[in-house]
C-alpha cells in the first residue's frame, strides 16, 4: 500500500466492533445455554479464528453480515474437535480458550501461526496448572502448540505479576469449572470486558481491592447457569485510535468518529491525546450492552510531548504504536515507560516501532520498557515493513499521511487481523 501526504480529513465514520468484546461474545455464547445474538461483531481474522475453533467443537454459529447467532452448548456441551484448534495470529483466542478447554471432557491441541507460537504461554500455564489444569507446552518452551487434557480444577487465589486481561480471563474461565471460588489479583486493573460480559450471561463475579495489597481483584463462583444474551459490540477504541491520531495530526481536519467504546480500562489513549493538547470532544455518551460508548469529535491540534507511565499503560498498551507517531509530531519529548509488555505482542513493538520511526527519520531511542521520542515536526516517507503486525501497518499508514513524500507499507494486508476495511474508511475522509 502506498500512502501520500494529505491535507484536510473530513467526515463522519463508524468504527468496526471491538476485537476483545467480539471474541468474548462468541466464547461465552458457545458455553451458555440458548442463543446469543451479536451485532457489530468484528469480522477480522482474529475473531473469525475464534468462531472456527468453536464450530470445530460442535457449536452452530450463523455468521451473516447483520448479526451472528451462536447456538450455545452449555458449560459442558462442547464436543471433541476433528482437528487441532488453529488460533492463527490470535493471543486472545489462545489464552482465553485454554481456560474453557480445561473444563471439557476431551483432549485438544491448540496451535497458531509462527508469531503466535513464539508468544509467552507460561503466564497462563502456571496459574492454570496451579488450579490442577493439565496444560502442556508441546515443545516445552512455554509457547504454543499447547496440549490440554480433561482436568479436575480447584479454585485458587492467583496473584498475577502482569496486568493482563488475557491471563485474568483464562483463570476466570477455568474458574467456571472449578470446585470452589477462584480469584485473581493483578497489579493494575486490565481491561474488564470479561467481568462485565460474563456477569451479563449470569456468572457471579465480585470485583474488589485486595485487603493486604489494595490491588484490583476479581473472584468468580463455579458452575453458573449461563444464558444466551443479546450483545451489541461497541466500536473498537484501538481501531478508532488511528483516526483520532489522523484527525489531530493532518492539518485542517475534523472527523466525527461514531460509536466508540470508552471503557476506562481501554481509554488511556484519549487521556494521553488530551494531555498532549489534542482537541477531542465527547458527544452522545451512553451505555450499550454494559459498556460505555461515545461519539468523538476530533480536530487538528498542536501537540506537545508528555510522560506516559504507570497505571495508564495497560489502558493503552495496544495504542502505543500510534502514540509514537503522535509524539514524532509533538513539541518536545515524549517518554513512554513501564511498557515492557510491548515486547510480547504480535511483534516486539519496541523494536518494530523504533525501527520504522528511524526509517522515517524520526528521533527515537528504544529503552528496556518503552521509548523516548523527540518531536521534530516532520517525518520522511519511507518503505515500511509491517512485520505482519496489524497495528504497525495501521500506525505507519497514518504516519504516511503526514510524512513528506510517499510511504509504502509492506504486507499491509495484515490489517485484516483487526480492521479489514481500514483503508476504505481512511480514503472516505479524503477531501
Ligand atoms: C486483550 C488483552 C491485551 C491486549 C490484546 C487483547 C484481550 O493483551 O493487548 O490485544 O482481549 O484480553 P494482554 O492480556 O496480554 O495484556
Amino acid at each position: 500500500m502506498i500512502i501520500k501526504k494529505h491535507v484536510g480529513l473530513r467526515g463522519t465514520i463508524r468504527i468496526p466492533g471491538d476485537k476483545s468484546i467480539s471474541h468474548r461474545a462468541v466464547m461465552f455464547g458457545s458455553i451458555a445455554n440458548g442463543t446469543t445474538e451479536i451485532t457489530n461483531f468484528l469480522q477480522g481474522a482474529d475473531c473469525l479464528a475464534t468462531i472456527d475453533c468453536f464450530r470445530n467443537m460442535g457449536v452452530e454459529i450463523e455468521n451473516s453480515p447483520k448479526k451472528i447467532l451462536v447456538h450455545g452448548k452449555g458449560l459442558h456441551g462442547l464436543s471433541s474437535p476433528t482437528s487441532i484448534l488453529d488460533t492463527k495470529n490470535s493471543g486472545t483466542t489462545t489464552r482465553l480458550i485454554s481456560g474453557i478447554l480445561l473444563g471439557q471432557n476431551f483432549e485438544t491441541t491448540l496451535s497458531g501461526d509462527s508469531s503466535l507460537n513464539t508468544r509467552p504461554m507460561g503466564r497462563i500455564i502456571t496459574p492454570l496448572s496451579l488450579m490442577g489444569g493439565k496444560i502442556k507446552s508441546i515443545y516445552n518452551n512455554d509457547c504454543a502448540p499447547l496440549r490440554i487434557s480433561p482436568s479436575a480444577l480447584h479454585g485458587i487465589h492467583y496473584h498475577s505479576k502482569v496486568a493482563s486481561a488475557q491471563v485474568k480471563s483464562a483463570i476466570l474461565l477455568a474458574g467456571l469449572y472449578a470446585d470452589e471460588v477462584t480469584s485473581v489479583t493483578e497489579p493494575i486493573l486490565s481491561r474488564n470486558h470479561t467481568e462485565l460480559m460474563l456477569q451479563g450471561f449470569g456468572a457471579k463475579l465480585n470485583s474488589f481491592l485486595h485487603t493486604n495489597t489494595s490491588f484490583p481483584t476479581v473472584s468468580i463462583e463455579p458452575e453458573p447457569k449461563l444464558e444466551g444474551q443479546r450483545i451489541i459490540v461497541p466500536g473498537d477504541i484501538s481501531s478508532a485510535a488511528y483516526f483520532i491520531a489522523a484527525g489531530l495530526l493532518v492539518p485542517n481536519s475534523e472527523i466525527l468518529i461514531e460509536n466508540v467504546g470508552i471503557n476506562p480500562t481501554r481509554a488511556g489513549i484519549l487521556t494521553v491525546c488530551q494531555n498532549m493538547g489534542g482537541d477531542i470532544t465527547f458527544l452522545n455518551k451512553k451505555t450499550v450492552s454494559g459498556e460505555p460508548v461515545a461519539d468523538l469529535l476530533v480536530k487538528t491540534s498542536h501537540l506537545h510531548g508528555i510522560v506516559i507511565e504507570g497505571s495508564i499503560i495497560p489502558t493503552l498498551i495496544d495504542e502505543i504504536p500510534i502514540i509514537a507517531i503522535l509524539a514524532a509530531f509533538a513539541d518536545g519529548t515524549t517518554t513512554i515507560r513501564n511498557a515492557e509488555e510491548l515486547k510480547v505482542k504480535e511483534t516486539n513493538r519496541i523494536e518494530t516501532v523504533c525501527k520504522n520511526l528511524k526509517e522515517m527519520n524520526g528521533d527515537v531511542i528504544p529503552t528496556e520498557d518503552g521509548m523516548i521520542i523527540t518531536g521534530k515536526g516532520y517525518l520522511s516517507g519511507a518503505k515500511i515493513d509491517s512485520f505482519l503486525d496489524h497495528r504497525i501497518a495501521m500506525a505507519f499508514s497514518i504516519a504516511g499521511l503526514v510524512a513528506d513524500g510517499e510511504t509504502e507499507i509492506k504486507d499491509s494486508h495484515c490489517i485484516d487481523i483487526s480492521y479489514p476495511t481500514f483503508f476504505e474508511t481512511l480514503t472516505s475522509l479524503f477531501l
Side-chain angles (χ1 to χ4, degrees), residues 27 49-50 52-54 56-57 81 83-88 90-102 106-113 116-117 121 124-125 128 135-139 143-149 170:
M27 292 185 185
T50 292
D52 283 347
C53 287
F54 281 95
N56 202 344
M57 291 189 287
S83 56
I84 64 166
L85 295 179
D86 184 358
T87 58
K88 304 205 167 141
S90 178
T92 308
T93 311
T94 312
R95 297 197 177 108
L96 270 61
I97 212 173
S98 296
I100 294 174
L101 292 175
L102 283 170
F106 49 83
E107 185 172 275
T108 34
T109 303
L110 287 179
S111 186
D113 67 13
L116 189 279
N117 285 357
M121 293 298 151
I124 59 161
I125 295 174
L128 294 176
I135 172 167
K136 191 176 166 352
S137 160
I138 289 178
Y139 300 125
C143 294
L146 302 174
R147 181 156 304 124
I148 298 183
S149 312

Side-chain angles (χ1 to χ4, degrees), residues 19-20 24 92 95-96 119 123 163-167 169 191 317-318 341 345-346 391:
K19 181 156 82 70
S20 294
R24 287 160 170 79
T92 308
R95 297 197 177 108
L96 270 61
R119 295 179 66 186
R123 54 180 57 197
S164 160
Q166 294 179 358
V167 171
S169 302
R191 63 190 67 191
I317 191 74
D318 292 343
E341 279 292 299
K345 296 298 176 187
E346 286 82 333
R391 302 211 185 278

